[in-house]
Amino acid sequence: MCGIGGVMHHDPARPVNPDVLVAMAAIQYHRGPDGFGVKIMSDRGVGFTHARLSIIDLNPERGRQPFVSADGQYMIAHNGEFYDYKRIRADLTSLGYRFRSKSDTELTMHLSDRYGLEGALPHLRGEFAFALYERSKDRLTLVRDRFGVKPLYWTMTPEGLVFGSEIKVLFAHPAVQRRFSSEGLYHQLMQLIVPGTSAFEGIYAVEPGQMVIVERHDGQLQVKTKQYWDLNFPRQSERGQRLTDEEYIEELRSRFIEAVQLRLEADVPVACYLSGGIDSCTIMGIAAASQQSPVKAFTIGFDDRDYDETAIAREMAQATGADQDVLMVDGNQLYDHFARTIWHTERSIYNTFTVAKLLMSEHVNKAGYKVVVTGEGSDELFAGYPQLRLDMILHGMDDASPEERADLEDWLAESNRLFKGNLLAEKALDDPALTNLVGFTPSCLQSWLSASAYVPSLLHPDRRAATQNYSPGEAVAHALDREQIEGRHPLDKVQYIWIKTQFESQVLGWAGDRVDMANSMEARPPFLDHPLVEFAVTLPQNMRLRGRKDKYILRETMRELLPKALYERQKFAFMAPPSHTDPVKQRAMQALSATYLSKQAIEEAGLLDAAGVQKILQRHGDANTPVSDRVQLDAIINHMLSVQMLHKHFVGNDVPVVARDRAQERGWYAKDQLVVVT
């Protein structure tokens, strides 16, 4: 895993500044501390840059990117991993292709030469984001993996297109403007964002499974997008004959074991993240069975019994003979490192477990590891989250009696009481645009949509006026593909919508890659192996949820690997204790608020309304406020802190100067690694 960046000018004769490219690499040094490279096609106005984290082919020169093909037709900068690369490389070698490195990245140029880029993509298995320039077509294509595990952003300037693995990489370019959009700010305060957008004006994310294609026409770059892969849950009318439970279980077992084993392949040691959940524990079990030596397992613990999972994680570690390392995190740490976390997430966060994940990746890095295998994706594929189960109860159980539904709904609410006002909305909400699209408003979006009621009073009057008639639900609904929703079972619909919204931007984004790579830590999620996913979307609903068992098929498939307590345990969302749960956290949050949410700080940023902010803080601090309301208000306070920090990091600071300074601090200079291709 690495960091990439680059430019393509409208005018091919316009020189590309190599020092800017080096600065774009240096500001994402955390993604690639093992070296950098810069290549420019001087006659095409195209330049790529790369910061390297060496995982495959550790040779510092042979694996240095960007790569240019021997005939000069292709240039690529790649972030991520392609699995099964040895087999593909052997196949291409037998067809006459010659490789100059052992890197998996080089595959893409040869596959594109043989099949065309679009034909090459089905061969690429893993987590990736890359830029490929094709000289013969004068075309730049930005490609992101099927789920968006790896980030990739782009923007258009008067000079041309600028792209990079993180938003700060774009901001390191002097031609890129740094300002919040009013709609982006609105969404930062309610957590839910519109797919493909960011907090900032004109800064776009390449969406999961998407290509952004950039071509020159009459001296101007034109941009179009194309979806090369999507989940494709079968329509209800297209579902074939149901297999037996045993057949589904054996198919999942085979695909899952292969997915885990592929992700243990590296030229450096590989560890596992281990929580008290079934997802990481099943991975731990397969990893332990696949390796000769004990697997290193890293676990986060909290100083609050309601949220701490270390006991059951220890039980799993002991059962597999893992070498477990537990990092205990307290309330002060969560707020002491909040601002540093926001520098990396580049968007607001609602819960400080993101900070805990950053501290964990730092701990893992110091322990000498660069790669961990993680459990993300299981809840999305097998409907583990309570909000997905709620929609199954409400909308997907045609044969259930009203009494059965009510009983299950009461049980779900009681067993997830800690998450009321967060994952589960306090009160049901109907959004007309989403109901029109789906048939009902998905529960997985309701708590965030309900938080939008607070947003107008929190916005600076100018921003409030600019969003007076704005509907966040309508914006999200418009960004979703109706073709992927129509005709599907209600559970399939809500899984798809969660994956396209909160999963990509939250679970994989600010709680995943961004805080892992903040400390040069590559995270590999085997549940998102696309052959496994393409099987999982065909599962009948009762193989995902059965009675009171969530993730039924995974539990049954891995039953022999799991301690009895874990096999019987319901899904528990990984989350840090909110600030109101103890005085230490409350004081730490208040100290941050005194700095970032003071009247002076708010006036300087020009984003928020000081009176509205003060009302939220007062209501949250009132012990008489209902607990579920305080849970929601805690998230809103985190959002307010986040946007103020985002402003300080990326608008208040001169980011191009920061980037140049970081290049000098690292001793990274264009003259050392620049290659000009003509």
Side-chain angles (χ1 to χ4, degrees), residues 239-243 248:
R239 286 191 173 270
Q241 183 177 358
R242 192 191 190 286
L243 304 179
Y248 284 121

Side-chain angles (χ1 to χ4, degrees), residues 100-129:
R100 292 179 289 175
S101 76
K102 296 295 184 180
S103 168
D104 54 330
T105 299
E106 201 173 350
L107 293 174
T108 311
M109 294 187 294
H110 296 319
L111 286 169
S112 296
D113 181 70
R114 184 165 185 80
Y115 302 110
L117 176 56
E118 198 164 346
L121 291 174
H123 296 270
L124 301 179
R125 183 176 184 175
E127 305 89 46
F128 52 83

Side-chain angles (χ1 to χ4, degrees), residues 636-676:
I636 292 170
I637 291 169
N638 288 334
H639 292 151
M640 296 189 304
L641 288 167
S642 296
V643 298
Q644 289 291 102
M645 292 171 183
L646 287 170
H647 182 274
K648 181 176 180 179
H649 286 321
F650 302 117
V651 181
N653 285 333
D654 189 334
V655 183
V657 171
V658 171
R660 290 199 301 271
D661 289 346
R662 294 202 173 184
Q664 292 177 3
E665 290 168 8
R666 303 297 175 192
W668 287 8
Y669 298 101
K671 62 182 177 62
D672 296 327
Q673 299 299 339
L674 171 64
V675 176
V676 178

